Amino acid sequence: MTTHSMTPHLPPLVDAPTINLDALTVRQRAGTSCVWCAGTASPRHPVGALRACECCAGLYGVPAVEANQ
């Protein structure tokens, strides 16, 4: 199963759980915690306006971006 990203310009993610924005914590919404596991988010792995940790990014195919982008 492929889950489509929250915004149309992002590539589709592989087997990523659906993100329920209403269920996210304040830290997840702020981008300091991973959108899926609530671990420490990486600024290199944006998921729309949110962030993923290194582990979830690799697991679900979130592409890395350079720090200056």
Side-chain angles (χ1 to χ4, degrees):
M1 175 182 159
T2 300
T3 302
H4 294 285
S5 61
M6 296 182 333
T7 55
H9 68 278
L10 294 173
L13 304 176
V14 180
D15 294 327
T18 301
I19 298 168
N20 181 351
L21 296 176
D22 294 330
L24 296 179
T25 67
V26 172
R27 289 178 46 85
Q28 286 171 310
R29 288 183 185 153
T32 56
S33 291
C34 176
V35 68
W36 288 294
C37 74
T40 302
S42 169
R44 294 186 59 229
H45 299 288
V47 180
L50 306 171
R51 302 272 183 253
C53 67
E54 296 284 335
C55 180
C56 289
L59 186 63
Y60 302 129
V62 178
V65 296
E66 296 301 318
N68 60 358
Q69 289 184 346

